[in-house]
Amino acid sequence: MLMDKKQLEDAFTALEEYRNKKSAEAYNKVQDIYDNADRQIKLLIFYYFSIMSQRGEVSFESAKRFLKSEELKTFKDNIKSYIEIAKQIKYPPKPSANLQMMMSRQNISVADALKTEVNYQIEYAFSTSYDILEKHISDIYKESYYKSAFEIQKSIGSGKLLPPPKDMNNLMELPWKIDDNSISDRIWKDKNKMMREIEREIAIDINTGRSPQISVENISQKLGVAKSNAKRLILTEEARFGSIAQMQSYKEMGIERYEILATLDLRTSKICQDMDGMIFFVKDYDVGVNAPPFHPRCRTVTIPYFDDDIKSTRAARDIESDKTHYISSDMTYDTWRQKYVNMDKSKESGYNININLQLFANKDLPKQTIKQMEKGIKSYKKQIDIHNDKINNPQKYVENWDKLDKLNQDGLIRHWNKEIETFNKNIHDNIEELKKRGVEID
């Protein structure tokens, strides 16, 4: 028995849910790194400002004075530990070169010592975050490629040996078309900007006598912004490389067309609403133009498009090849992977995957208040009215509707109907939850 379209939609939506979960785990690691940098920088500022205060005052002149012997010994002990840690950082720019230079100097000013230690904390935070993000993106790329092929083979009822994903090298250097910046570009630009801003904050304290507490608070805010930027970067790049990997999987499986599938809730962006249900050729696949992500933190996905003729002839054609076999829709992913993934090459890359595909509709419903659920019912009813009007008067909502081919028109009508089904189900779920709490709805 072949998978129906609803099962296919659920499977690819589940894959996106899985990617989001892994992105959250990656972000938690990055967040801990930035929080630690914040704490260390705070301690360093107070320590070196206390040295200046003990010498009479905090000023430009006192900051230029050399560290005393015990202070210098403490500084160099710190530098030695930094150098050892820096050896574990996988990607450039490694902070060890400047640290080695500072170790060779006999006289070091308070200002230079403070700058060196603070810069190391920033270098370490951004370089370690780079390592985490690189591994995360690589894992997402492979998982999306293999999992997409698995669902496609289940849907068409035939399977074949799958080669490893291509173009796995230098994912972090792959630029966006919109601004020609890669992940690497963004991380190092943000790092350099952060170092300049922190240096400026400390300089203001030293030159004006301002309390270091103010710069500590300002630096914490800047690191908070850096954490927010890192979260947006992780989620957006996860969506981008998941999308690119799916496109490669489509090509390997001979899929000619794909369909846009947007997440259906009240947070769905206007562009994703408009793109939902649109069908495009795989040869024209272009991330950000006719394939997700369409914006930062985009949750829209693609699914392979089959009409009845394509599905049946595809299965019959593959079965005739000695490299393909009939597979049933209830085959597990682990069984499929053992049979159809090139295991030797995947072992060489250290690839190991264990995906939980279960989806939970309205999973936050028990946490909502009665007022929120009642408001939700009204919103869903309003959306149903809007979608019925879309079906009856599509020209009002889709520019150049009459110029679209029948394939795209039918896809949009089908998805508007699907959204109505989803809204009705959500209304039913809200009503049932309210009844459990003793609230009757007319």
Side-chain angles (χ1 to χ4, degrees):
M1 175 182 172
L2 301 181
M3 294 174 61
D4 61 27
K5 188 167 185 289
K6 180 64 166 61
Q7 290 174 308
L8 195 63
E9 291 175 353
D10 288 348
F12 277 85
T13 304
L15 177 56
E16 175 62 13
E17 291 280 343
Y18 172 79
R19 291 196 295 248
N20 287 339
K21 178 182 176 183
K22 302 306 290 185
S23 291
E25 293 173 1
Y27 171 67
N28 287 338
K29 294 177 183 178
V30 171
Q31 183 178 30
D32 289 342
I33 291 169
Y34 282 116
D35 287 343
N36 182 66
D38 191 8
R39 289 190 294 270
Q40 295 301 320
I41 290 171
K42 182 184 298 183
L43 292 172
L44 288 168
I45 290 174
F46 286 137
Y47 169 70
Y48 283 104
F49 270 70
S50 71
I51 290 177
M52 288 185 282
S53 295
Q54 290 169 13
R55 298 181 181 183
E57 64 175 352
V58 175
S59 66
F60 178 78
E61 290 301 322
S62 64
K64 287 299 181 182
R65 292 171 187 163
F66 294 141
L67 296 174
K68 295 179 180 179
S69 58
E70 284 301 314
E71 296 164 350
L72 183 62
K73 182 180 182 303
T74 299
F75 169 77
K76 290 199 172 184
D77 285 344
N78 288 345
I79 297 302
K80 285 180 182 178
S81 67
Y82 296 160
I83 290 173
E84 289 304 310
I85 294 172
K87 292 177 181 178
Q88 308 302 316
I89 297 176
K90 184 178 179 182
Y91 288 96
K94 293 184 178 180
S96 56
N98 184 54
L99 299 177
Q100 293 285 2
M101 182 191 71
M102 296 301 290
M103 280 293 295
S104 66
R105 288 173 55 178
Q106 298 302 313
N107 295 311
I108 299 173
S109 68
V110 175
D112 285 346
L114 174 56
K115 179 180 178 180
T116 299
E117 293 211 57
V118 169
N119 282 353
Y120 166 77
Q121 296 298 332
I122 298 300
E123 291 270 18
Y124 178 78
F126 277 83
S127 297
T128 308
S129 298
Y130 185 100
D131 289 357
I132 291 171
L133 185 53
E134 192 276 340
K135 183 180 184 305
H136 173 62
I137 292 300
S138 178
D139 289 344
I140 288 295
Y141 193 87
K142 286 180 284 192
E143 290 167 6
S144 298
Y145 171 76
Y146 284 119
K147 188 63 184 68
S148 297
F150 167 60
E151 298 299 346
I152 292 169
Q153 291 191 15
K154 283 198 343 181
S155 67
I156 64 179
S158 63
K160 66 177 181 179
L161 186 65
L162 193 69
K166 302 175 183 177
D167 303 324
M168 283 296 297
N169 296 325
N170 300 320
L171 293 179
M172 300 289 278
E173 306 298 330
L174 185 66
W176 279 85
K177 289 184 178 180
I178 190 170
D179 60 6
D180 206 36
N181 281 327
S182 65
I183 304 177
S184 181
D185 294 331
R186 297 179 196 281
I187 290 177
W188 303 137
K189 285 179 181 178
D190 286 349
K191 183 213 71 172
N192 292 333
K193 180 182 178 184
M194 179 66 67
M195 291 174 70
R196 290 193 301 269
E197 290 180 346
I198 291 178
E199 185 175 354
R200 178 178 178 274
E201 289 290 341
I202 294 174
I204 291 173
D205 288 346
I206 292 174
N207 293 326
T208 66
R210 187 182 71 176
S211 168
Q213 182 63 41
I214 296 176
S215 63
V216 164
E217 292 174 356
N218 290 342
I219 291 168
S220 290
Q221 291 178 357
K222 294 178 189 301
L223 286 169
V225 173
K227 285 192 295 186
S228 178
N229 291 341
K231 184 174 185 178
R232 182 176 65 251
L233 183 66
I234 288 170
L235 290 172
T236 304
E237 296 297 344
E238 162 251 296
R240 176 166 71 124
F241 285 105
S243 182
I244 292 172
Q246 283 184 222
M247 178 267 292
Q248 186 185 144
S249 185
Y250 294 163
K251 289 182 177 179
E252 289 290 347
M253 296 305 303
I255 301 300
E256 296 181 354
R257 288 177 284 185
Y258 65 93
E259 184 174 347
I260 304 295
L261 180 66
T263 299
L264 303 178
D265 58 30
L266 300 181
R267 294 189 294 126
T268 305
S269 67
K270 180 65 167 60
I271 185 172
C272 290
Q273 291 177 35
D274 292 341
M275 295 298 292
D276 187 42
M278 299 292 284
I279 299 166
F280 301 96
F281 286 98
V282 171
K283 64 181 179 64
D284 299 325
Y285 202 104
D286 193 359
V287 170
V289 178
N290 59 14
F294 296 109
H295 55 81
R297 305 191 188 195
C298 184
R299 298 172 296 154
T300 293
V301 299
T302 66
I303 60 173
Y305 176 79
F306 300 111
D307 57 36
D308 292 339
D309 291 338
I310 290 176
K311 182 182 289 188
S312 60
T313 55
R314 173 73 184 182
R317 183 170 68 249
D318 283 347
I319 291 172
E320 292 175 359
S321 168
D322 60 0
K323 294 184 179 180
T324 60
H325 309 276
Y326 179 81
I327 62 175
S328 63
S329 61
D330 58 358
M331 177 182 281
T332 65
Y333 179 67
D334 286 339
T335 301
W336 172 85
R337 185 169 177 269
Q338 290 173 11
K339 190 170 183 179
Y340 296 114
V341 173
N342 188 323
M343 297 300 291
D344 291 336
K345 291 185 179 180
S346 62
K347 286 179 180 176
E348 289 174 5
S349 64
Y351 179 53
N352 186 18
I353 185 169
N354 181 19
I355 296 181
N356 178 4
L357 295 178
Q358 189 173 5
L359 282 175
F360 298 94
N362 288 336
K363 57 185 177 182
D364 294 329
L365 198 57
K367 300 179 183 179
Q368 293 185 19
T369 65
I370 291 174
K371 185 175 181 180
Q372 286 174 324
M373 285 186 285
E374 290 175 338
K375 184 178 179 181
I377 291 172
K378 292 180 181 178
S379 296
Y380 291 133
K381 288 181 177 179
K382 181 178 179 180
Q383 287 297 320
I384 289 172
D385 291 339
I386 291 173
H387 281 67
N388 278 322
D389 192 44
K390 286 182 178 181
I391 293 169
N392 295 324
N393 303 286
Q395 296 86 352
K396 287 172 53 179
Y397 299 90
V398 179
E399 188 177 356
N400 298 323
W401 168 265
D402 294 330
K403 294 182 180 180
L404 293 178
D405 58 36
K406 190 174 186 303
L407 188 66
N408 276 307
Q409 288 182 346
D410 290 344
L412 284 170
I413 296 294
R414 184 171 62 253
H415 272 278
W416 288 332
N417 278 307
K418 180 190 67 176
E419 290 174 9
I420 291 174
E421 292 178 7
T422 301
F423 294 138
N424 277 319
K425 183 179 183 304
N426 289 343
I427 290 172
H428 175 268
D429 291 344
N430 282 22
I431 291 174
E432 291 301 311
E433 180 64 27
L434 287 170
K435 286 181 179 179
K436 290 179 184 178
R437 303 188 196 185
V439 179
E440 292 295 331
I441 302 295
D442 297 333

